[in-house]
Amino acid sequence: MESWEDADWVVDELVHAGPEHLDPEFVAGFDAKQGHPDPGPDVAALRARGLDRSARVVDLGAGTGRFALAAAREFGEVTAVDVSPAMVDRLRAAATAAGLSNLTCVRAGFLSHRHTGRPLDAVYTRHALHQLPDFWKAMALHRIAAMLRPGGVLRLRDLIFDFRPAEAPEVLRAWMAGAAADGSRGYTRQDYAEHLRTEFSTFRWLLEPMLEAAGFEIADASWQGRIYGTYTCVRR
């Protein structure tokens, strides 16, 4: 298959990363703003799919590495990938402090990370795929499938809209009503509005055909508030 990742028509993922994610001061408070998400359910979901100490796992859009750090304590080899130099620096420091020699940190994106060696057992990504427009989401999912062994698992969490366009005003109004008042402790209404204006969250009924076209079977899907979707997918 012809390689296209270095072509001059490929999008620059750093441009879509959001300038705040490149700011070391913002990155220092990132976990608090995210609400210190618990990686336990995601690790458990991968273990339920048969992953063990021999498993190879990649975390794409790893951020500060809450999942990657937890996964490295459970699985054999974990690679944390993020396009932001500030995120990667923070994650490397955390991995070193934790003594996790099986956790490798790489600065790259969905479209530029080059996997080598035997196929992966799982790929994880949380709240990062929405930084790509839909064309590039589909290309990224195709690349992810190519990294995985047959039967390998994609665990995907993101802002994925489980409603029709006519329902958007009502659903989004309810979402914004629950926004945080303190921007250091959560996402504010202004943050949500900025997300909708400048990032690329998509509808469930657009994303699921992309997953299927990439070669995935959707094993499980669940939602929180018709905004936050979680998928477990298996490579056919």
Side-chain angles (χ1 to χ4, degrees):
M1 182 171 59
E2 182 180 357
S3 176
W4 50 264
E5 287 86 352
D6 296 323
D8 61 1
W9 47 265
V10 176
V11 69
D12 181 353
E13 289 181 79
L14 198 61
V15 171
H16 289 286
E20 70 277 11
H21 296 112
L22 312 180
D23 177 4
E25 184 175 343
F26 176 87
V27 169
F30 185 72
D31 288 339
K33 191 173 182 72
Q34 291 274 307
H36 301 281
D38 178 10
D42 296 310
V43 171
L46 296 184
R47 291 188 67 88
R49 287 278 158 184
L51 271 70
D52 57 22
R53 291 285 183 181
S54 68
R56 301 183 79 197
V57 179
V58 165
D59 181 358
L60 287 171
T64 57
R66 290 187 66 82
F67 171 81
L69 292 163
R73 296 183 175 96
E74 298 288 332
F75 306 126
E77 180 182 329
V78 177
T79 302
V81 179
D82 201 280
V83 75
S84 163
M87 291 289 191
V88 173
D89 287 347
R90 186 173 181 85
L91 179 47
R92 280 186 178 138
T96 299
L100 295 170
S101 60
N102 64 328
L103 175 55
T104 302
C105 303
V106 176
R107 193 181 80 79
F110 287 98
L111 306 173
S112 57
H113 176 59
R114 303 297 179 104
H115 173 66
T116 59
R118 68 175 175 85
L120 297 169
D121 297 289
V123 170
Y124 174 82
T125 184
R126 180 184 185 278
H127 292 195
L129 190 62
H130 67 248
Q131 292 171 349
L132 294 176
D134 279 5
F135 173 85
W136 292 110
K137 286 187 186 72
M139 298 296 276
L141 291 169
H142 181 81
R143 295 190 82 240
I144 290 169
M147 297 177 196
L148 287 163
R149 60 170 172 79
V153 180
L154 168 62
R155 178 76 168 176
L156 166 64
R157 287 184 179 269
D158 216 317
L159 282 76
I160 302 161
F161 300 144
D162 187 23
F163 52 83
R164 308 299 293 186
E167 300 175 282
E170 178 185 356
V171 175
L172 296 177
R173 190 180 303 114
W175 179 45
M176 291 184 176
D182 181 355
S184 69
R185 296 294 172 186
Y187 286 92
T188 65
R189 188 190 184 286
Q190 290 74 24
D191 290 328
Y192 288 165
E194 181 74 6
H195 176 96
L196 292 167
R197 286 194 303 266
T198 65
E199 301 189 33
F200 304 99
S201 289
T202 195
F203 290 105
R204 173 182 189 173
W205 41 271
L206 293 175
L207 180 67
E208 290 182 359
M210 292 185 210
L211 288 164
E212 292 163 4
F216 288 106
E217 176 184 345
I218 298 170
D220 182 73
S222 61
W223 261 261
Q224 177 185 348
R226 305 180 75 186
I227 299 285
Y228 301 99
T230 302
Y231 285 86
T232 302
C233 305
V234 179
R235 186 196 165 191
R236 292 192 293 267

